[in-house]
Amino acid sequence: MTHDSALTHRELEDSPFSDFLGFELLLDDEDRELLSRVRAFMTREVEPVINAHWTRGAFPHELVAGLAELGIAGLAYDGPGCPARGALVDGMVAMELSRIDPSIGTFMGVHGGLAMGSIQLCGSDEQRERWLPAMARVELIGAFGLTEPDVGSAISQGLATSARRDGDGWVLNGEKKWIGNASFADLVVIWARDEDDGEVKGFVVEKDTEGMTFDVQQDKIALRVVQNAEIHLTDVHVPEVNRLQGATSFASTANVLRVTRMGVAWQAAGCARGAYEHALRYTKSREQFGRPIASFQLVQDLLVKMLSNVTASTAMNVRASQLQDAGLLRDEHASLCKVHSTVRMRETVGWAREVLGGNGILLEHHVGRFVADAEAIYSYEGTREMNTLIVGRAITGESAFV
Ligand SMILES: Cc1cc2nc3c(=O)[nH]c(=O)nc-3n(C[C@H](O)[C@H](O)[C@H](O)COP(=O)(O)OP(=O)(O)OC[C@H]3O[C@@H](n4cnc5c(N)ncnc54)[C@H](O)[C@@H]3O)c2cc1C
C-alpha cells in the first residue's frame, strides 16, 4: 500500500530522524500507525530489559503476548487468519524490531517468516487452515529446521536427514543445528530427504513428538536472546497429513527462503540503523576537548557514512519489497539486498562502536550488542558468499557454485 497524498516538507521533517529520505511516508496511514505501535512497544517494553536477557542468554517469554497483540506475525501473508498487509510494511516492521533488538527481530523472522512461510507457501489449504490462524495470533510458535551440523551452505545438495514412508505416515531420522525457537516451539518444520525419490520434503513435527529431542546451543557471542538448538530426530513418526503437500523438492524450500531472505535484509538495515541512532545520540552528549564530540569533523564523517549506509540499504530493500508485492521478486533480487544490507550493517555497527570509544564495548550503551548480533545476521539465511554466487549466476549466466 503506498501513501497517495502529496508529500509535504512537514511530513518529511516529522518522519523519524534516521529515516532521512522519508521511506516510511511510502506507507499508507494504517501501515504507518502499525509501525509506530511496533516502535512504541519495542522502545517501552523491550529496550529497557533486553540487555539483561542478552547477558543471561535467556529468551523473554513474557514479551510474547505483547508482540502477539501487535498483529505482525506473518504480516505479508494472505493465508487464513493472516494480516495480508503486504511485503513493504512487513519489511519495515522487521527493520523496526531489529532497530531496537535484533534477537527479537530474529525470533519474529523465524516464527512469522520462515515457519509460517513454509506453511503458507508449501502447505495445502487444509494445512493452512489448521495452523496459520493460531500462528498469526502467536498462540502456536513455529521453528524452521533446515541446517544440519555437517551441512549449511551446501544444504540443497547435502541435506542428510531422511524421511522414509511408513504406512500412512513417515519416519524421520537425522540431526539439525542452529534451529531458532525449536526448544520451545509448538511446531518445527523439518526438511528431510525422501529415501524413495531423493527429493527434499517438508514435515510439520509437533511439540513432544516422540523421538525429537533438543540441545539448546550455549555460549553464543551473537543473538544471545535467541534460543538456537540442535535437534536430534530418532525414528520420529509423522503422519502424512503433516507433510507439507506442496513441498516436492528443494525448489519449494527455496521459494520460502526467497521471501524470508528479504526479511533478513531488512533486519540488517534495522540493526545498522539502531547502532547509528545510539551513536548519534552519544556524540551529542559526550564532550571532549570542551566540546561535544559531534562537533568534530572526523566524527561527523563517520556519522554521515553510517547514515548513508542505512539509507542506501533501506532504499534497495524498499524497491525489492515493492517488487515482491507485485509478484516480481526473484532470488537474485533478495540475495543482492541481503548481501548489500549485511555488508553495510557490519561496517556501520563497527563505526558506531568506534564513536563511542571505550563505552562502545559496554552493554549498557547498546551498541556493543548490535556489533555482536550483526555477526549472526551476516551469516544466516545464506552467507555473503552464497548470496553473491546467486547474483553472479543471474548476471553472467554462469554458475560458479562448486
Ligand atoms: C544465529 C543463527 C541462527 C540460525 N537459525 C537457523 C534456523 O532457524 N534454521 C536453520 O535451518 N538454520 C539456521 N541457521 C543456519 C544458517 O543458515 C547457516 O549458519 C548458514 O547457512 C551457513 O552455514 P554454515 O554455518 O554451516 O557455514 P558453512 O556452510 O560451513 O560455510 C563456512 C564458510 O564457507 C563459505 N563457503 C561455503 N561454500 C562456499 C563456496 N562454494 N564458495 C565460497 N565460499 C563458500 C561460507 O560462505 C562461509 O563463509 C542459523 C545460523 C545462525 C548463526
Side-chain angles (χ1 to χ4, degrees):
M1 302 282 259
T2 51
H3 189 59
D4 56 3
S5 63
L7 180 61
T8 65
H9 284 291
R10 183 56 196 267
E11 277 182 308
L12 194 54
E13 278 168 17
D14 285 349
S15 75
F17 61 97
S18 59
D19 182 21
F20 201 63
L21 295 183
F23 292 112
E24 289 170 18
L25 302 175
L26 293 168
L27 299 177
D28 65 18
D29 291 345
E30 199 187 343
D31 286 345
R32 280 165 68 188
E33 193 270 331
L34 174 64
L35 204 57
S36 52
R37 280 198 293 118
V38 173
R39 181 166 300 154
F41 176 79
M42 292 299 290
T43 308
R44 282 189 213 131
E45 307 295 329
V46 176
E47 194 168 53
V49 301
I50 205 65
N51 282 337
H53 287 87
W54 198 93
T55 305
R56 287 188 287 117
F59 182 76
H61 292 279
E62 65 279 7
L63 293 175
V64 171
L67 286 165
E69 255 176 55
L70 294 170
I72 54 174
L75 194 58
Y77 301 136
D78 62 0
C82 296
R85 295 281 279 265
L88 184 56
V89 64
D90 184 48
M92 288 199 184
V93 164
M95 175 160 72
E96 200 58 47
L97 297 172
S98 292
R99 176 181 167 223
I100 301 294
D101 182 52
S103 288
I104 295 297
T106 300
F107 164 71
M108 289 304 290
V110 170
H111 167 69
L114 286 163
M116 289 183 71
S118 300
I119 295 167
Q120 165 70 13
L121 299 171
C122 303
S124 63
D125 286 345
E126 292 75 18
Q127 291 174 324
R128 283 190 276 269
E129 287 289 350
R130 180 171 160 204
W131 287 305
L132 288 179
M135 292 180 85
R137 294 192 299 270
V138 204
E139 289 165 9
L140 289 181
I141 292 176
F144 178 90
L146 177 62
T147 307
E148 301 183 354
D150 293 333
V151 61
S153 302
I155 197 76
S156 61
Q157 296 170 23
L159 189 147
T161 297
S162 65
R164 177 169 44 83
R165 189 79 209 224
D166 181 41
D168 62 353
W170 297 80
V171 179
L172 307 186
N173 279 288
E175 306 284 324
K176 297 288 176 184
K177 186 174 178 184
W178 290 116
I179 312 309
N181 307 350
S183 54
F184 57 82
D186 298 283
L187 43 95
V188 185
V189 176
I190 294 288
W191 297 93
R193 196 176 295 282
D194 184 344
E195 286 182 358
D196 271 351
D197 63 9
E199 297 291 353
V200 172
K201 296 180 178 168
F203 300 85
V204 176
V205 185
E206 291 168 285
K207 194 178 187 148
D208 298 330
T209 300
E210 206 179 327
M212 179 167 69
T213 57
F214 309 96
D215 280 320
V216 175
Q217 294 174 238
Q218 305 294 334
D219 299 333
K220 285 186 297 162
I221 64 151
L223 295 180
R224 289 179 50 75
V225 173
V226 176
Q227 303 298 296
N228 293 96
E230 291 195 9
I231 306 182
H232 314 288
L233 302 151
T234 309
D235 292 332
V236 176
H237 284 261
V238 181
E240 166 64 11
V241 288
N242 281 31
R243 181 180 64 80
L244 292 174
Q245 301 293 311
T248 49
S249 71
F250 192 79
S252 310
T253 326
N255 284 339
V256 180
L257 293 174
R258 181 187 313 123
V259 292
T260 55
R261 203 161 267 161
M262 272 315 302
V264 178
W266 279 107
Q267 283 173 20
C271 177
R273 187 172 166 187
Y276 160 72
E277 289 175 347
H278 283 295
L280 178 60
R281 265 193 298 273
Y282 185 85
T283 61
K284 291 179 182 179
S285 61
R286 176 74 174 177
E287 292 194 359
Q288 290 295 293
F289 299 98
R291 302 161 62 184
I293 61 170
S295 69
F296 300 135
Q297 289 181 346
L298 294 177
V299 170
Q300 288 190 8
D301 176 55
L302 289 180
L303 290 170
V304 173
K305 286 198 283 203
M306 284 185 245
L307 177 61
S308 172
N309 277 352
V310 169
T311 306
S313 294
T314 307
M316 279 179 72
N317 296 342
V318 162
R319 182 60 192 142
S321 291
Q322 288 171 332
L323 291 179
Q324 188 181 335
D325 275 331
L328 297 172
L329 185 75
R330 296 200 300 263
D331 287 339
E332 56 268 29
H333 296 147
S335 289
L336 187 69
C337 290
K338 207 265 174 174
V339 169
H340 181 270
S341 296
T342 52
V343 170
R344 294 299 161 221
M345 162 191 67
R346 219 177 181 203
E347 193 175 52
T348 305
V349 297
W351 285 331
R353 201 217 64 73
E354 187 174 335
V355 299
L356 266 78
N359 284 335
I361 66 162
L362 289 177
L363 211 46
E364 67 183 275
H365 290 276
H366 295 282
V367 167
R369 176 165 47 87
F370 287 92
V371 173
D373 289 350
E375 290 305 306
I377 298 173
Y378 187 69
S379 287
Y380 68 38
E381 293 238 15
T383 63
R384 184 187 64 78
E385 290 81 1
M386 289 303 104
N387 282 299
T388 295
L389 293 175
I390 290 171
V391 181
R393 182 178 56 194
I395 59 175
T396 64
E398 302 278 356
S399 174
F401 281 93
V402 289

